[in-house]
Amino acid sequence: MTQSARDLENTFARAWTLLLRNPVILVPGIVAGALQTVASIAVQALPDEVALLAALVTVTLALSLAQMAYVTGMAGAAWRHERTSLRDGWNALALRWLAAVGAVLLLLVIGFCASALALATFGITVVAYVVFFIYTIAAVVIGERLPIDAIVESASTALANIVPTVAVVALIALIAALGGWLGSLAGRLSDTGGWLVTGLLQQIIVAYSSLVIAGEYLKLTHPPTES
């Protein structure tokens, strides 16, 4: 399925409306951020720097993966039913975490290859990586696809809808840049205030981006409704 610029505009607007109606979608990110802070403090006791780095990376990846699956599950429910709850995210995480892990591992391998070729291709491989695999987690969590199937579906969906998909990526990048600028500005006024504003903006960006991607995925692929 292809779509017009008006369809894409409707997705952006609808995603914002759903976020305002379901602010609970911010909770998983806030909890994940708090847990990461606690874990970072806890692992500081490790005497070995290599072990410390490995522990931090592992914790960060695990929490990021859990947050992606949780928030994507909530975003899918919000699009389908207008409302979502923490239970929707928990169900998505409980049912799809293994497939999500597999998809993320494959994405890491593909991303490493894209990064390795970035210099020779003037960054084109990295841009292509972001564009063609943007729907992967939505395909795993919402579409209930297996990891490889999710990657293939994401790439084929993006290829068939390359202009709106690039627009989605560009919008998310622009919003993230704007959020970073606002957080930096708040940090100049107050260290604590800047930290709080930056953290809140990050979670808003993650939630809104997840809603946009989930909405586009549902519009373009029409996955089966969960029973």
Side-chain angles (χ1 to χ4, degrees), residues 2-216:
T2 57
Q3 64 174 336
S4 65
R6 177 61 62 87
D7 292 329
L8 184 61
E9 181 181 346
N10 290 339
T11 300
F12 295 153
R14 186 62 178 164
W16 182 248
T17 299
L18 290 173
L19 178 58
L20 293 178
R21 288 182 179 178
N22 300 276
V24 68
I25 202 171
L26 300 176
V27 173
I30 295 173
V31 172
L35 290 176
Q36 184 169 346
T37 299
V38 172
S40 299
I41 295 173
V43 299
Q44 294 297 324
L46 293 175
D48 185 80
E49 291 185 1
V50 175
L52 173 60
L53 179 60
L56 287 174
V57 171
T58 300
V59 169
T60 299
L61 286 176
L63 289 174
S64 296
L65 174 61
Q67 181 182 357
M68 281 191 294
Y70 210 111
V71 173
T72 300
M74 295 181 72
W79 276 96
R80 285 170 168 161
H81 310 299
E82 302 291 329
R83 294 289 181 181
T84 189
S85 67
L86 294 176
R87 181 181 293 275
D88 294 317
W90 175 255
N91 289 339
L93 180 61
L95 295 173
R96 305 301 300 163
W97 72 269
L98 186 58
V101 169
V104 167
L105 290 177
L106 289 174
L107 287 175
L108 287 175
V109 173
I110 298 171
F112 176 80
C113 295
S115 298
L117 296 171
L119 185 61
T121 60
F122 302 99
I124 293 177
T125 53
V126 174
V127 174
Y129 170 77
V130 175
V131 170
F132 286 106
F133 302 117
I134 190 172
Y135 303 116
T136 301
I137 298 301
V140 169
V141 176
I142 301 174
E144 299 185 356
R145 305 293 189 251
L146 294 174
I148 294 178
D149 294 336
I151 285 176
V152 171
E153 184 179 48
S154 178
S156 61
T157 300
L159 183 61
N161 302 272
I162 191 66
V163 173
T165 300
V166 169
V168 168
V169 172
L171 174 70
I172 292 174
L174 178 61
I175 292 174
L178 179 60
W181 178 78
L182 291 174
S184 176
L185 183 62
R188 295 177 184 176
L189 301 176
S190 168
D191 291 338
T192 302
W195 179 78
L196 291 174
V197 169
T198 300
L200 180 58
L201 285 174
Q202 286 177 346
Q203 300 315 317
I204 293 174
I205 291 168
V206 169
Y208 180 67
S209 300
S210 297
L211 283 163
V212 169
I213 294 170
E216 281 298 285

